[in-house]
Amino acid sequence: MHIVMAGASGLIGTSMSAAFRSAGHSVVTLVRRPPATAAEVRWDPAAGDLDPGVLDGADAVVNLSGAGIGDRPWTRRRVEELFSSRLAPTRTLVQAMARTDAPPATFISQSGSGYYGDAGNTVLREDAAAGSGTLAQICVEWEQAARMAPPGVRVVTPRTGVVFSRSGGALGKLLPLLRLGVGGPFGNGRQFWPWVTLPDVSAAFLFLLDSQVSGPVNVAAPEQADVNTIVAALAHALHRPAMLRVPAPVLRTVLPGLGEELLLYSQRMEPGVLAAAGFTWQHGHLDAAARWVAGQDATA
């Protein structure tokens, strides 16, 4: 396939573009700076500026654009940026598709597990209602923007969970603490995190490119686990204790808004669509994922 990618420079995008190329696909990435290679094309999503000719001949467009959710405190200005950095690129891509004679057959536009808000112990399948909160509202508007793609374009909105990687990402601040033996669960630890490893995210998107699946897709491992269980598995794989719990009031004070939604909200997400379509996880079980994060698994 010939794939056009937006947001390919981040942790997930870098892994995914490499996976696409390894699978034999050609990838053109959209960048906001002057292009450094022939595989890059400049665009200005904030201004809605993208030459529709870039999409001519593309089999698929993959959209991962968006400022980092947990990178900075959620000031009013930062929250506005979280919205605009997702909505403007998505709308720019959709509008460019509408101006081409032959729009891409597939548009995979990232969303997130935050769509469901704080759902406690409820098992969340793709047909569950949207929750409340900043992240839920971002995801709702993000998916709505993607669904404005021209008729005939297969639109997929992966609701990706907490991505485990060996460095950076969701575990970027927790892993160094666990390696030192001073990490621990957040709050009471009974909240569910819909976890998934970085290689499985890339594999899931590859699978979705070749499938006929459309609409929302929960991208998470099939084994559900709460934070107590996740932190214990990671600590065990790292051969370290994990006894220092971070109380919920402290998180709410130190990270207002962000700490509540990112660390304390519970989303017991089930990847029903992926499972029904026949996707196979490399790290479907938490113990295997923890060993991979700890570097004990040489694969991927």
Side-chain angles (χ1 to χ4, degrees):
M1 292 185 185
H2 176 56
I3 302 167
V4 176
M5 283 190 71
S9 62
L11 176 73
I12 296 175
T14 300
S15 170
M16 195 173 296
S17 59
F20 289 169
R21 291 187 173 107
S22 294
H25 302 308
S26 67
V27 180
V28 168
T29 58
L30 302 179
V31 297
R32 293 173 173 83
R33 52 170 173 74
T37 71
E40 294 182 344
V41 173
R42 191 170 190 175
W43 73 326
D44 185 355
D49 183 15
L50 171 62
D51 178 2
V54 174
L55 304 183
D56 285 344
D59 297 293
V61 173
V62 175
N63 175 30
L64 305 174
S65 296
I69 293 291
D71 295 355
R72 302 177 193 171
W74 282 8
T75 62
R76 186 174 180 179
R77 183 173 180 178
R78 182 59 173 176
V79 169
E80 291 174 355
E81 186 178 3
L82 295 180
F83 274 91
S84 63
S85 65
R86 286 161 175 78
L87 298 182
T90 306
R91 289 167 178 160
T92 299
L93 289 167
V94 165
Q95 290 162 5
M97 290 179 203
R99 299 198 304 272
T100 61
D101 294 331
T106 300
F107 182 34
I108 302 181
S109 187
Q110 180 72 288
S111 183
S113 58
Y115 176 92
Y116 300 109
D118 186 9
N121 289 331
T122 302
V123 176
L124 302 167
R125 300 178 183 88
E126 284 84 354
D127 59 355
S132 59
T134 299
L135 293 181
Q137 188 59 39
I138 287 174
C139 291
V140 166
E141 295 188 26
W142 204 2
E143 293 184 19
Q144 287 174 342
R147 288 197 298 271
M148 297 306 292
V153 176
R154 178 174 64 97
V155 178
V156 187
T157 51
R159 294 170 182 165
T160 303
V162 178
V163 179
F164 287 4
S165 68
R166 289 172 172 168
S167 62
L171 300 181
K173 294 181 175 63
L174 176 60
L175 272 182
L177 296 177
L178 288 175
R179 292 184 195 280
L180 292 171
V182 295
F186 302 106
N188 62 26
R190 293 193 292 272
Q191 67 274 30
F192 282 82
W193 279 3
W195 63 273
V196 61
T197 64
L198 185 60
D200 275 339
V201 173
S202 296
F205 275 63
L206 263 171
F207 179 85
L208 291 169
L209 281 173
D210 286 324
S211 76
Q212 296 303 310
V213 170
S214 63
V217 177
N218 289 344
V219 178
E223 182 178 325
Q224 299 158 9
D226 64 17
V227 170
N228 285 330
T229 305
I230 289 170
V231 171
L234 290 169
H236 178 75
L238 293 166
H239 306 293
R240 293 289 187 273
M243 304 299 293
L244 300 180
R245 188 178 300 276
V246 184
V250 172
L251 286 171
R252 294 189 182 102
T253 300
V254 175
L255 300 170
L258 186 155
E260 180 83 15
E261 293 200 31
L262 277 187
L263 303 176
L264 299 177
Y265 274 18
S266 180
Q267 291 142 2
R268 191 173 184 173
M269 203 165 76
E270 180 179 286
V273 169
L274 278 177
F279 178 68
T280 301
W281 283 262
Q282 180 177 331
H283 305 116
H285 298 287
L286 183 57
D287 287 345
R291 288 194 300 271
W292 175 79
V293 169
Q296 298 173 15
D297 178 358
T299 61

